[in-house]
Amino acid sequence: MPLKHGIASVAIFILGVTPALADTALLPGDAGKGKMLHAANCVACHDAKIYTRKDRRVQTLSGLIGQVEACNTQLKKELSRGQVNDLIAHLNERYYRFE
């Protein structure tokens, strides 16, 4: 009986931690490549203040993903999934630091 209880406790812990880890694990982007993509595709419209202002629109990792994907679509940048992940990795590493 104690073994089953221990396994259940571990499973509950893992399930509780997994959502936080899953978001960042799903984005294996390369921040270095993302920095170059940012310079080539993003700074023409806005500077770094958009990421650092107090009333910034992006508040979560999923919000960051959505915003980058929206810019990619609306501006018809046609960045690949890998490039989008690289850009998200750069923005998260440089400005947001979502877990």
Side-chain angles (χ1 to χ4, degrees), residues 9-72:
S9 296
V10 170
I12 290 169
F13 172 77
I14 290 171
L15 290 174
V17 172
T18 301
L21 297 176
D23 284 343
T24 55
L26 293 175
L27 298 171
D30 180 315
K33 290 179 182 177
K35 182 177 181 178
M36 291 185 291
L37 286 165
H38 183 265
N41 293 283
C42 305
V43 296
C45 293
H46 50 77
D47 61 17
K49 290 178 188 175
I50 196 165
Y51 312 120
T52 59
R53 64 185 186 197
K54 286 186 180 186
D55 64 337
R56 68 183 183 194
R57 183 182 301 176
V58 174
Q59 298 294 320
T60 63
L61 182 57
S62 61
L64 176 58
I65 295 166
Q67 189 63 46
V68 171
E69 289 175 346
C71 287
N72 188 34

